[in-house]
């Protein structure tokens, strides 16, 4: 570890519950019962035992890599030094179990001073295997490098993984994690980023498919001037549980975080959870943070929980704010559109597209834009009949 | 061609203290090709009349009829009314984030015509309409009404009137919030529309200002949820001179 990193890590201890002590020892983490703060929204019964002691084995997903020119992608041994480079220490049992069970790690490295054209895509295809899989990936953008890495998850699988992201000083990295699973998939992902001096990380989580998808994304800063933009887009269908837990730990001065998550929910028992935690430490003077979560409930029977949470230990900040909303279609918007001859169904489609459009544009990955728009379209098409029925009975 | 007939229309809104009657029996016939102005003080129910005709869900029709060329308008859904030829320019046009003006207009035109507009002429038509309203072509790429100034919203309503070309235009305080130049531009747009064959207009306004540019065939004074007096264009001049006092006093 370099001296600078060492120094940055020597922070005052924080009492905050936002910062539980982590441990690599699985047995240090009790089996969750469901009452614990971090588990109270998650349907444990549907996790296929991965929070308890269900075995992990290789082969749950087939991995395909399309590396952009200049990016190296390799598999390293489980005991390789790169594991832990981001500072990730598991704070829950699933993450600790995945760490212990991983037989190797995927290492993505973007060399110093290189600007990479095009996205590097790592595709995980669920094989429908009965056994759960444990994954580990480390993405390192070296100093002043610029690149985009897209992780795609599809097919049927039960997966627990740890994704580490290291953005060295001055680097500019975009990481997109697309959960486009089949209906029966279970995915618990712990993603942690360490953002260097004057470095930028754009982290995007897109969740469409899966039975239970829970993403914990956290970020810390190893130097001043770093910036994290954390974007999320999700579409929860009948019976689906999609949970995002964000934690931005402002560990250095003059750092920025901007979090925007938007989701639409439709169908019976569609459930979305968003927890947005931001901790501004005493030493994090002059920081700026904003977090926002918006949920659009398209039909009856769907519900969302949205909990922004800001903890501030210094008064010397540039700005801190949050917004959270759970709403249905706006009658005035629908009326306006319909008064121009647009049918109710079509008007709703327009509003939902509009709701996501800005966000899709902000993601700024051209390879993904069209795919995301058409996936939103496909999700809407699934439920368009329900939308109409609900209107008729409303 | 379109004749709009409103007979004994009574309308209420739900309030915390129960239903509140706002329109108290409105009767009005607007023949094809005519322009009627409705003038009245704040809160008299002008917007309520416009919204009720257009089918806003907030208003409950408690009595009376509205027909367009004999067809029962009140039976129609909001979009069916638009397809039947009604168009409402709103006093406060609504913002629709993330939906571009271009997409909105194309979707509306397609819905009204039952087929997508021809690409070639379409772009020209849209740009032409924007241009006439002194709206920069970049407006097409912006979200519907989002961040538009009050005047831009109104000009955008008239650009829609031009492009969507309804038979019957309900214009609710299209003149409010416009400076004199914008008022002229908007009035020209409305007059261009009126010059088309058989177009009818119901022009709702609080001030006589716009009537310098748009000459109505009939003027109605609207007070406390009903028409207090009807007359020709000279009635507007009298209102300009004497205001609504006479009617408001009589209504109490
Ligand atoms: N939801 C509501 N609850 C109570 N009163 C309402 C409600 N909606 C409308 N009203 C009342 O109905 C009356 C008529 O309103 P309307 O908007 O139609 O008036 P208007 O003539 O268009 O006024 P303006 O010139 O200000 O535009 C007003 O007194 C208004 O306060
Ligand atoms: Mg009004």
């Amino acid at each position: 570890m370099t001296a600078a990193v060492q120094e940055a890590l020597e922070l005052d201890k924080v009492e905050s519950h936002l910062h539980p002590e982590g441990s690599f020892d699985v047995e240090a983490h009790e089996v969750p019962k469901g009452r614990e703060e971090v588990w109270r929204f998650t349907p444990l019964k549907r996790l296929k035992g991965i929070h308890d002691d269900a075995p992990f084995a290789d082969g749950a997903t087939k991995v395909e890599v399309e590396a952009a020119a200049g990016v190296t992608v390799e598999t390293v041994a489980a005991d390789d030094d790169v594991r832990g480079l981001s500072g990730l220490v598991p704070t829950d049992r699933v993450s600790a179990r995945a760490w212990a069970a991983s037989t190797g790690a995927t290492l993505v490295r973007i060399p110093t001073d290189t600007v990479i054209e095009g996205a590097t895509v790592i595709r995980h295809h669920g094989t429908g295997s009965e056994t759960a899989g444990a994954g580990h990936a480390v993405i390192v953008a070296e100093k002043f490098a610029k690149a985009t890495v897209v992780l795609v998850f599809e097919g049927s699988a039960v997966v627990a993984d740890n994704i580490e992201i290291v953005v060295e000083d001055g680097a500019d990295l975009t990481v997109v994690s697309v959960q486009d699973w089949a209906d029966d998939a279970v995915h618990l992902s712990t993603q942690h980023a360490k953002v260097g001096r004057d470095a930028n990380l754009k982290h995007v989580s897109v969740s469409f498919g899966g039975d239970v998808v829970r993403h914990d994304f956290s970020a810390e800063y190893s130097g001043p001037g770093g910036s994290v933009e954390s974007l999320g887009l999700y579409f929860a269908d009948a019976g689906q549980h999609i949970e995002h837990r964000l934690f931005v730990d402002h560990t250095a001065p003059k750092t920025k975080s901007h979090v925007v998550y938007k989701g639409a929910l439709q169908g019976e028992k569609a459930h979305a959870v968003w927890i947005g935690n931001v901790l501004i430490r005493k030493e994090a003077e002059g920081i700026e943070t904003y977090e926002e979560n918006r949920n659009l409930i398209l039909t009856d029977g769907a519900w969302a929980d949205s909990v922004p949470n800001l903890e501030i230990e210094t008064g010397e900040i540039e700005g801190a704010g949050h917004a959270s909303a759970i709403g249905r279609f706006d009658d005035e918007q629908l009326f306006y559109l319909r008064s121009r001859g647009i049918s109710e169904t079509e008007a709703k489609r327009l509003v939902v597209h509009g709701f996501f459009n800005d966000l899709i544009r902000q993601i700024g990955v051209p390879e993904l834009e069209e795919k995301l728009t058409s996936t939103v379209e496909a999700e809407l098409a699934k439920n368009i009949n329900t939308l109409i029925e609900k209107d008729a009975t409303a | 061609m379109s004749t709009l007939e409103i007979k004994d229309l009574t309308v209420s809104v739900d309030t915390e203290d129960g239903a509140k009657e706002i329109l108290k029996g409105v009767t009005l016939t607007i023949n094809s090709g005519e322009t009627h102005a409705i003038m009245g003080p704040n809160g008299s129910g002008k917007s309520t009349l416009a919204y009720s005709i257009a089918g806003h869900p907030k208003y409950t029709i408690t009595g009376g009829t509205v027909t367009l060329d004999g067809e029962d308008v009140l039976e129609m859904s909001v979009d069916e009314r638009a397809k039947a030829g009604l168009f409402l320019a709103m006093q406060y046009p609504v913002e629709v984030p993330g939906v571009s003006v271009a997409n909105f207009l194309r979707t509306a035109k397609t819905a009204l015509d039952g087929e997508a507009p021809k690409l070639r002429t379409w772009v020209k038509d849209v740009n032409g309409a924007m241009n006439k309203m002194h709206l920069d072509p970049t407006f097409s790429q912006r979200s519907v009404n989002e961040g538009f100034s009050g005047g831009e919203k109104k000009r955008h309503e008239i650009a829609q009137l031009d492009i969507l070309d309804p038979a019957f235009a309900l214009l609710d305080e299209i003149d409010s919030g416009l400076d004199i130049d914008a008022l002229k531009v908007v009035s020209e747009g409305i007059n261009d529309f009126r010059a088309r064959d058989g177009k009818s207009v119901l022009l709702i306004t609080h001030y006589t200002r716009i009537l310098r540019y748009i000459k109505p065939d009939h003027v109605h004074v609207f007070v406390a949820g009903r028409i207090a007096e009807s007359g020709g264009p000279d009635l507007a001049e009298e209102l300009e001179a004497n205001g609504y006092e006479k009617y408001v006093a009589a209504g109490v």
Side-chain angles (χ1 to χ4, degrees):
Chain A
M1 219 181 282
T2 66
V5 173
Q6 192 73 57
E7 205 178 322
L9 287 176
E10 277 171 18
L11 298 162
D12 286 344
K13 273 255 181 283
V14 200
E15 291 303 321
S16 173
H17 78 277
L18 295 181
H19 199 260
E21 282 291 301
S23 171
F24 292 101
D25 176 12
V26 173
E27 294 318 316
H29 304 274
E30 273 179 47
V31 178
K33 296 279 185 294
R35 296 240 177 80
E36 304 79 359
E37 178 57 33
V38 299
W39 290 106
R40 68 188 177 103
F41 292 108
T42 316
L44 296 173
K45 283 203 190 79
R46 284 153 62 188
L47 298 187
K48 308 267 165 85
I50 53 175
H51 63 297
D52 192 345
D53 58 4
F56 288 107
D58 287 340
T61 60
K62 269 215 307 270
V63 181
E64 264 171 60
V65 178
E66 303 156 34
V71 176
T72 60
V73 181
E74 59 186 314
T75 304
V76 298
D79 60 359
D80 196 289
D81 275 352
V82 297
R83 290 227 300 170
L85 202 60
S86 70
L88 194 165
V89 182
T91 55
D92 68 58
R93 187 173 170 95
V94 176
S95 170
R97 291 194 70 228
W99 191 292
S102 291
T103 52
T106 304
L107 173 64
V108 181
R109 196 178 276 281
I110 303 113
T112 307
D113 274 325
T114 42
V115 174
I116 305 294
E117 294 289 332
T120 294
V121 182
I122 303 176
R123 208 173 281 282
H124 301 76
H125 191 86
T127 53
S129 146
E130 286 299 297
T131 329
H136 199 112
V138 183
I139 302 166
V140 182
E142 295 183 353
K143 284 188 177 135
F144 302 104
K146 184 173 193 300
T148 297
V149 177
V150 180
L151 310 169
V152 180
F153 298 89
E154 54 199 9
S156 290
V158 176
V159 171
D161 57 14
N162 290 294
I163 312 281
E164 300 189 71
I165 300 163
V166 179
V167 195
E168 294 185 359
D169 295 353
D172 187 344
L173 178 67
T174 297
V175 175
V176 187
S177 185
V178 183
Q179 289 67 244
D180 197 9
W181 291 109
D183 287 346
D184 59 349
V186 173
H187 187 195
L188 268 65
S189 190
T190 301
Q191 311 201 351
H192 181 75
K194 176 177 281 180
V195 179
R197 184 185 185 101
D198 299 327
N200 292 313
L201 170 66
K202 188 190 280 187
H203 179 274
V204 185
S205 178
V206 178
S207 300
F208 288 116
D211 179 46
V212 179
V213 172
R214 172 174 156 155
H215 266 225
D216 293 27
F217 169 67
S218 54
E220 63 179 290
Y221 301 83
S222 57
S227 161
V228 173
E229 186 177 11
S230 161
L231 306 175
L233 188 164
Y234 50 93
F235 213 121
D237 286 331
Q240 256 189 311
H241 176 93
I242 296 185
E243 179 168 350
H244 294 99
R245 307 182 75 94
L246 289 308
F247 175 43
V248 181
D249 193 354
H250 280 277
T251 43
K254 298 274 181 203
T255 49
K256 281 188 189 152
S257 59
H258 190 94
V259 179
V260 182
Y261 268 66
K262 281 185 169 187
L265 296 86
Q266 60 182 7
E268 277 305 313
K269 301 217 161 89
H271 187 202
V273 177
W274 181 86
I275 312 291
N277 288 325
V278 175
L279 172 62
I280 304 169
R281 300 197 185 220
K282 224 196 269 103
E283 52 274 62
E285 291 189 352
I287 69 102
E288 251 180 271
T289 177
Y290 178 75
E291 50 168 355
E292 176 180 334
N293 173 232
R294 295 194 186 280
N295 294 282
L296 190 55
I297 310 270
L298 306 185
T299 69
D300 288 342
W303 86 104
D305 290 288
S306 178
V307 189
N309 191 358
L310 195 57
E311 220 166 285
I312 308 179
E313 300 187 336
T314 170
E316 304 297 313
I317 56 174
E318 275 301 305
H322 60 71
S324 152
I326 300 166
R328 290 173 170 268
F329 283 111
D330 181 278
D331 281 345
E332 298 301 325
Q333 283 179 358
L334 294 183
F335 175 73
Y336 187 76
L337 296 170
R338 295 182 66 199
S339 76
R340 272 42 174 165
I342 299 168
S343 72
E344 175 148 30
T345 311
E346 187 69 15
K348 287 181 170 176
R349 281 190 46 224
L350 276 179
V351 169
V352 174
H353 275 289
F355 177 73
F356 285 126
N357 266 347
D358 289 350
L359 188 67
I360 291 176
R361 238 174 280 139
Q362 279 174 54
I363 292 172
V365 180
E367 291 94 329
L368 266 179
E369 239 171 74
E370 206 174 310
K371 152 94 179 135
L372 291 181
T373 307
S374 63
T375 308
V376 167
E377 186 60 37
E379 288 289 337
L380 279 173
K382 268 192 215 167
N383 232 53
I384 220 90
N385 294 329
T386 325
L387 285 178
I388 297 165
E389 277 164 33
K390 294 281 173 197
D391 293 338
T393 55
Chain B
M1 300 293 274
S2 64
T3 296
L4 185 77
E5 265 191 287
I6 304 162
K7 270 197 204 136
D8 300 322
L9 188 68
T10 55
V11 171
S12 68
V13 291
D14 287 335
T15 71
E16 280 171 13
D17 322 314
K20 177 182 169 191
E21 188 169 63
I22 296 176
L23 297 190
K24 298 175 178 150
V26 178
T27 298
L28 177 64
T29 299
I30 300 170
N31 292 306
S32 183
E34 290 179 351
T35 296
H36 290 232
I38 284 194
M39 307 191 55
N42 290 137
S44 55
K46 305 182 296 295
S47 292
T48 303
L49 177 63
Y51 275 128
S52 301
I53 297 169
H56 194 292
K58 174 175 144 187
Y59 301 95
T60 311
I61 313 292
T62 52
T65 58
V66 178
T67 58
L68 187 67
D69 293 330
E71 299 276 334
D72 185 353
V73 170
L74 300 178
E75 274 297 300
M76 301 177 194
S77 69
V78 178
D79 41 299
E80 282 168 353
R81 295 178 200 210
K83 288 186 185 122
L86 286 175
F87 175 90
L88 169 63
M90 288 180 209
Q91 185 173 359
Y92 304 107
V94 182
E95 300 187 356
V96 192
V99 177
S100 71
V101 167
N103 190 8
F104 163 61
L105 291 174
R106 196 174 352 93
T107 308
K109 190 69 175 171
T110 305
L112 289 169
D113 292 359
E115 59 176 353
K118 303 264 174 306
L119 203 61
R120 270 260 184 91
T121 47
W122 175 244
V123 176
K124 238 173 55 199
D125 289 351
V126 170
N127 287 342
M130 292 292 178
N131 208 11
K132 266 200 265 176
M133 284 302 110
H134 295 199
L135 291 169
D136 194 90
T138 56
F139 268 80
S140 295
Q141 296 317 314
R142 290 177 58 179
S143 292
V144 172
N145 293 321
E146 198 179 36
F148 289 20
S149 73
E152 286 165 351
K153 283 182 183 163
K154 296 306 180 72
R155 285 184 274 147
H156 177 225
E157 295 289 280
I158 299 305
Q160 291 173 50
L161 177 69
D162 184 358
I163 294 163
L164 302 180
D165 194 32
F168 190 100
L170 289 157
L171 309 175
D172 189 6
E173 300 216 18
I174 196 70
D175 50 337
S176 67
L178 296 182
D179 62 26
I180 192 71
D181 291 332
L183 181 66
K184 281 184 194 164
V185 166
V186 160
S187 300
E188 257 169 54
I190 296 168
N191 284 330
D192 282 357
F193 172 75
R194 291 170 70 209
R196 297 177 194 170
D197 207 27
K199 302 293 182 184
S200 315
V201 174
L202 180 61
L203 183 71
I204 294 174
T205 180
H206 181 80
Y207 304 104
T208 50
R209 201 167 67 127
I210 194 169
L211 302 181
R212 279 178 229 149
Y213 306 100
I214 299 172
K215 290 284 162 238
D217 304 299
H218 301 274
V219 174
H220 311 276
V221 185
F222 203 81
V223 181
R226 54 166 68 94
I227 291 174
E229 190 175 347
S230 296
D234 40 329
L235 181 53
E237 276 153 42
E238 194 199 311
L239 285 172
E240 167 100 62
N242 303 323
Y244 298 114
E245 266 125 79
K246 167 173 130 191
Y247 302 101
V248 177
V252 178

